[in-house]
Amino acid sequence: MKFFPGCMIHNRFPGIERSLFFVFEKLGVEIFPLKGSSCCPAPSISKSVSVELWKEIGIRNVRLAKNETIMTACNGCYTSLHEISQIFNEGDIRHVVEYLHSEIGIERIKKSVEKRLPVRLAVHYGCHFFRPSKHKGFESPERPKMLDELVNAIGAESIDYKYKFMCCGGGGGVRAGATEVSHDLLERKMDAIAEKDVDAIVVMCPLCLNQFDVGQSELNELRGKDYRIPAVHYVQLLAVAMGMDVSLTGIERHSVIEQNFIEKLVRGES
Amino acid sequence: MADNANELNKCIQCGTCSASCFSGRVTALNTRKILMEHIAKKRSLGEFDTVWFCVTCYACQERCPRGIPLTDILISARNELVKEKGLPGRLKNAFKSLQENSALVPAKNEHIALRKELGLELYHSQFVDSARNEVGEIVRKYVGGIIK
Ligand code: SF4
Ligand code: SF4
């Protein structure tokens, strides 16, 4: 199996990669970096400019794996490579969250946890994991439960909130092309999350993570909105629950850091 | 575009698409209007820049009772707009980076340092000359002219 990092994990949130390798080693699944792989390229924004470009760069990435399964941890990479592999009828593309949920299973995850994490989390799936559902064929694209179940499996609690299934505002090139719109969307989402007493936001995509983390700092600077709710990728939490040192997850290198949250992760359930 | 117009003829004007649009709540993006006025009637998108406010969340497409692939159609409308008017500034930079670095989001020194700190290799094509050039060539072939 090959790990496809994409730009956002390789070049922004490498702690996700470190965590993923730790988790797979613990689970006894062999996985290696897909060397020489490039930008996936990002689905909506690339297709907005040239579908041919999107397909040709994408299939190059798919073929690099020489028919081994490609594991992604990003909704954008997953969508691009998955759609392209269907178009060319080549390759096997997975997203780590659906892989953990369906291949490893909740029971085994529970058993592999060394330290339960007593944190309250706002779960955010991101748009492109389930939608458009005609390509993906998972459970309900309107109300998925996969990530909530995985969160509960490590001793954390998923707290429902308004706009849970709405976009974070990070996708479609809007963050780069119309930054204010992207901030407006994030602010709505953050206001809804802030109504609940949560320790952090948990996502399954580094682009969403960037929006909740870096975007949140921008909201603070530009609009005086000081939410202080850290955001993390699920595999970072899973790695900690399976015994990895918190410092290796890179969580302390995110933009929004709360000591209280870090301490809960370090301590675990007492 | 002709196919898109055919698809859009199936519309029953129920308004579900616009009602599902999170972006439409905070911007002037009006999914149904863009699609009907400017695509079905084959009018140019012209100054219709709100098409860039779509976050491509696929909520409208998923819920359309007529099964019209609305988001996909919006994305192809952007394609037309790019041909007419070029790329908005920061997106142009992103594609320049894709050509130069084979990454829409390239690593800077701080990110390279963090990878090293975490004991991770640098293996994205940005750091592998032959791979980076291969991808750069593909970008040049399709959008070299647009991002110059
Ligand atoms: S895909 Fe675009 S137009 Fe459709 S609901 Fe989402 S933001 Fe609105
Ligand atoms: S949801 Fe579909 S049928 Fe309803 S108005 Fe929008 S495009 Fe037309």
Side-chain angles (χ1 to χ4, degrees), chain B residues 56-134:
Chain B
T56 70
C57 70
Y58 282 91
C60 53
Q61 174 160 335
E62 206 61 60
R63 291 183 191 157
C64 171
R66 303 292 291 160
I68 306 174
L70 294 164
T71 314
D72 292 337
I73 294 177
L74 269 182
I75 290 174
S76 71
R78 284 178 171 184
N79 242 288
E80 299 293 313
L81 193 61
V82 168
K83 278 184 199 134
E84 242 174 77
K85 296 180 59 180
L87 271 170
R90 285 183 61 193
L91 291 179
K92 197 185 232 181
N93 290 339
F95 279 88
K96 271 189 187 154
S97 168
L98 187 61
Q99 182 171 323
E100 279 160 29
N101 306 305
S102 66
L104 280 169
V105 182
K108 299 183 198 125
N109 287 339
E110 61 195 280
H111 311 117
I112 295 173
L114 181 54
R115 285 192 72 82
K116 289 195 177 141
E117 213 177 285
L118 296 176
L120 296 167
E121 277 177 77
L122 298 170
Y123 63 89
H124 185 290
S125 55
Q126 183 185 349
F127 301 94
V128 182
D129 292 346
S130 57
R132 188 184 60 247
N133 293 337
E134 229 176 88

Side-chain angles (χ1 to χ4, degrees), chain A residues 4 49 80 97 145 213 222 239:
Chain A
F4 178 86
V49 175
S80 272
V97 160
K145 295 193 301 280
D213 183 48
L222 297 169

Side-chain angles (χ1 to χ4, degrees), chain B residues 1-44:
Chain B
M1 285 307 264
D3 287 358
N4 288 345
N6 281 344
E7 282 288 339
L8 289 166
N9 280 335
K10 295 189 203 152
C11 172
I12 50 170
Q13 303 288 332
C14 69
T16 305
C17 48
S18 291
S20 309
C21 182
F22 197 36
S23 187
R25 290 189 203 177
V26 301
T27 70
L29 170 64
N30 183 330
T31 319
R32 188 167 53 141
K33 195 163 166 219
I34 294 191
L35 292 167
M36 298 312 149
E37 290 284 308
H38 296 267
I39 300 173
K41 293 183 189 163
K42 298 199 176 98
R43 282 191 208 150
S44 150

